[in-house]
Amino acid sequence: VARRQDLGLSAREFAALARLRTPVRIQAFVNAIPANHEPDGETLHSVREVLRRRVAHCMEGALVAACALWIQGEPPLLLHLDCAPHDHPHVIALYRRGSAWGAVSKSNGAWLRFREPVYRNLRELAMSYFHEFFDRAGHKTLRAYGLPFDLRRVDPGQWVTSPLPCWELHDRLAAGAHRALLTAAQARALS
């Protein structure tokens, strides 16, 4: 369980996340945050900055979700979903119920959001995003998934309360080992 003093959050910030006692409530909270369309350039806000600015894109929402899960006693795990080079990857916060995986996710499209904890492994969970993960031309672009990234390995000052963008964390997540979801031949044959 992450305590307020461990995270460096104010009492008000901590209370806002501590009220989110289930993944469903966390998802509803993340959904209610307006999309960050990054009008002034790319951002990667910390949890505190998302709570202050009230905007988030997928990774920013995943950080908020992971922090809320950690406060509830669950490990703060992220999963990087990688795609074809011309598209944008996606980041989700993981949780488990028994041996099954689920996910909390921020996305402009509802189809890339919440996943119930019914997936036997991370490949199954990642594949649940496959048909809905496409570019503006309708081409399916999901190609790989990373290993779970445990945010307890990173100082909360770098992702929970940082006033600066969290690019170092992003780079570590994106550079981690990934497992292919498709062979090259399968990717070439996609409709």
Side-chain angles (χ1 to χ4, degrees), residues 81 123 126-127 130 142-145 179-183 186:
L81 298 174
R123 185 180 196 287
M127 285 301 291
F130 180 76
L142 187 59
R143 297 293 185 265
Y145 67 98
R179 294 189 174 148
L181 289 169
L182 307 173
T183 65
Q186 288 172 323

Side-chain angles (χ1 to χ4, degrees), residues 1-16:
V1 175
R3 300 170 303 166
R4 186 174 73 82
Q5 57 270 31
D6 298 330
L7 299 173
L9 293 170
S10 70
R12 184 176 183 171
E13 293 165 336
F14 186 83

Side-chain angles (χ1 to χ4, degrees), residues 20 22 24 29 31 38 52 59 61 65 79 108 116 124-125 127 144 155 157 159 161 169 189:
L20 310 174
T22 67
V24 170
F29 182 82
N31 285 351
E38 304 173 308
R52 185 176 75 78
M59 186 163 171
L79 186 75
N108 294 342
E116 298 286 351
E124 273 190 9
L125 175 64
M127 285 301 291
D155 181 345
W159 66 278
T161 58
L169 174 59

Side-chain angles (χ1 to χ4, degrees), residues 41-168:
E42 288 187 88
T43 66
L44 190 40
H45 299 311
S46 66
V47 173
R48 171 173 280 156
E49 289 299 304
V50 169
L51 295 175
R52 185 176 75 78
R53 295 171 186 260
R54 298 296 301 160
V55 294
H57 56 55
C58 79
M59 186 163 171
E60 293 164 343
L63 292 175
V64 170
C67 188
L69 287 164
W70 195 13
I71 289 169
Q72 298 306 324
E74 303 199 32
L77 302 174
L78 297 182
L79 186 75
H80 187 259
L81 298 174
D82 208 3
C83 59
H86 71 278
D87 202 3
H88 301 285
H90 191 50
V91 178
I92 59 178
L94 299 172
Y95 70 97
R96 290 183 90 162
R97 292 295 175 267
S99 62
W101 291 96
V104 176
S105 175
K106 175 73 177 168
S107 173
N108 294 342
W111 53 90
L112 290 181
R113 293 183 188 164
F114 191 74
R115 292 298 188 265
E116 298 286 351
V118 297
Y119 300 96
R120 292 177 294 181
N121 56 52
L122 293 174
R123 185 180 196 287
E124 273 190 9
L125 175 64
M127 285 301 291
S128 77
Y129 290 92
F130 180 76
H131 288 289
E132 291 79 18
F133 202 106
F134 50 84
D135 63 18
R136 291 178 188 209
H139 300 115
K140 295 176 184 95
T141 60
L142 187 59
R143 297 293 185 265
Y145 67 98
L147 301 177
F149 187 92
D150 192 335
L151 287 166
R152 292 174 295 189
R153 297 178 4 210
V154 181
D155 181 345
Q158 293 181 7
W159 66 278
V160 177
T161 58
S162 178
L164 302 173
C166 303
W167 290 117
E168 183 180 327

